Amino acid sequence: MENAYQATPFFTNDAIVLGLLMSVLALVFYLESSKKPFWVKFFTYIPSLLLCYFLPALLKWPLNLVDGEVSQLYYMASRYLLPAALILLCIGIDFKGIMKLGPKAIIMFLAGTLGVIIGGPVSLLIMEYVFPSFIPSNLTVTELWRGMSTIAGSWIGGGANQTAMKEIFDVTDNVFGIMIVVDVIVANIWMGFLLYGANIRDRLNRLLKADNSAILELENRMADYQASVKKIPTTTDSFILMAIAFGSVALSHWATDLVTPYMQTHREFLASINLQSFASSFFWLVVFATTIGLGLSFTKARKLEGVGATRWGSVFIYVLVATIGMKMDLKQIFVKDNIGLFMIGITWMLVHIIILLTVAKIIRAPFFFVAVGSQANIGGAASAPIVASAFNPSLASVGVLMAVLGYALGTYGALICAILMEMVAV
């Protein structure tokens, strides 16, 4: 399906593609640090992280210079740099401070899950009875809700949950391919709004009448700690930092290689209790990297915060953001056969957003919990820390911990959503 709309990108050598992405990232941060009035005003409204995400998408289309599906950089960033970033961002974590954030974080995460579960059948009902012409003529309603179940799996858990839904409901490869396009485009557009929201968080918190004191206290405590251990890093310091980061990545991969084959031998049992995610190597990679990072935060390694642990973790996250952006195919929005499916996806996402904001208003949760609670569902471990980092790099670990919870609930939530969609399907 995708190949019908794709041309070979101009650059296929990943050394060149990486150079382009790093140049884009450097340009964004150079302009953001500029004191010129235009750029100061520009970055007041458009956060740098949003540009780091969308500019690589423009390199794919309309420029056709790169293609994230051809490049291996996303795999490199997600398997090497992401776990390294998780470890570095967790090293300096104030665990007591995170515990003080209270139950609102979990409530908003569960509200996001509920929004996805309810949004599926609601969007299907709206399309069936209000806009039936938007349903592609080449899909039956049964094929549609079965295909939508894979989006539910992705939006509550992740790729493993999505694949589980494909197998459970026998979704054809053609329908599955179309649903992946809808999933990626709609989810990435929403992520863009969340990154923008992080830039106007104070205004949104006032609208939500939110109590932001616990988050501000955590940010201030992290800033004070960073100041207390900060020093100019020597070459030795830098090597120790990289050794701990990538040594821990190696340990995470080694543990993953041991656990995953064992879990896969019990795939049938895991499927019987709807925990297929436990057979995913990426799931265990995230779990082990996060666990190692959290463990290091209780040791002297925490002092590496003073030589740039968070800064390097943020750099790795930005590289991951650029590779994710490079995978987003903006032109698929304009493919005629996909317009109706995108309308379903957008309606679905709007239900998710309405429920999130309603719950946030009721419990007076700050926008940070709205954003991370949503992205821990919709994006998972690869992008939840990105959104959390947009608020403050020290908060990235909150996104990771919530995303891991999403993996555990993904298949259960997607199955409930699928059952509800089957009930409303004509």
Side-chain angles (χ1 to χ4, degrees), residues 176-197:
F176 186 57
I178 297 171
M179 292 301 168
I180 287 176
V181 173
V182 175
D183 166 17
V184 171
I185 296 292
V186 175
N188 287 347
I189 290 174
W190 172 230
M191 182 177 170
F193 278 105
L194 291 177
L195 296 178
Y196 177 74

Side-chain angles (χ1 to χ4, degrees), residues 232-247:
I232 298 174
T234 64
T235 302
T236 301
D237 291 329
S238 298
F239 270 116
I240 290 173
L241 182 68
M242 291 297 110
I244 287 179
F246 288 100

Side-chain angles (χ1 to χ4, degrees), residues 7-13 16-17 20 59-60 63-67:
T8 302
F10 191 79
F11 296 117
T12 56
N13 185 328
I16 299 172
V17 177
L20 278 173
L59 292 179
K60 177 171 182 174
L63 298 178
N64 197 37
L65 295 177
V66 302
D67 188 343

Side-chain angles (χ1 to χ4, degrees), residues 20 91 207 303 305 327 338 350 359 411:
L20 278 173
I91 277 180
L207 290 173
K303 291 186 178 180
E305 184 61 35
K327 287 171 67 69
N338 292 344
L350 285 174
V359 174
T411 303

